[in-house]
Amino acid sequence: MQCAKCGQEVPAEAIYCPHCTGDRKTTDRQVMQGGVKGALIGFFIGLLPAIWLLNQYGAVRGIKAIAVILPLTGLATGLTYGLVRAKREWK
Ligand SMILES: [Zn+2]
């Protein structure tokens, strides 16, 4: 893959272009921060319906499992979204 900014060859799995890091040294940190931010938001978005379910149905076995899975799914989704977004903003 080629870097959109400088046109140089970059490994496909690279989060940032090694040729461009000279002028943007905080890039990988910003991507990380975006990921963490997204993960936190996703976690709380997943937590709300989980709490609601617990209130509605009580902490029975199936509900407990859903209450654990929902925030974790939200966290994973938010993390991915945050990383992709931070990556795009940088480009
Ligand atoms: Zn570049």
Side-chain angles (χ1 to χ4, degrees):
M1 136 186 149
Q2 265 191 348
C3 170
K5 218 164 144 190
C6 67
Q8 295 207 62
E9 197 60 34
V10 181
E13 70 277 8
I15 290 170
Y16 58 87
C17 169
H19 308 289
C20 291
T21 47
D23 49 306
R24 290 293 298 270
K25 271 181 181 161
T26 49
T27 293
D28 50 345
R29 232 187 93 197
Q30 284 172 334
V31 171
M32 281 298 292
Q33 282 174 343
V36 169
K37 213 170 109 185
L40 282 175
I41 294 167
F43 180 75
F44 283 111
I45 289 172
L47 200 65
L48 290 175
I51 290 168
W52 181 83
L53 275 171
L54 283 172
N55 277 330
Q56 289 289 308
Y57 302 103
V60 291
R61 220 173 170 185
I63 299 300
K64 258 192 199 167
I66 295 168
V68 171
I69 289 163
L70 275 175
L72 289 181
T73 308
L75 191 142
T77 309
L79 179 70
T80 310
Y81 180 77
L83 285 173
V84 169
R85 231 188 80 171
K87 226 169 122 181
R88 277 200 192 134
E89 271 171 17
W90 165 74
K91 265 185 187 172

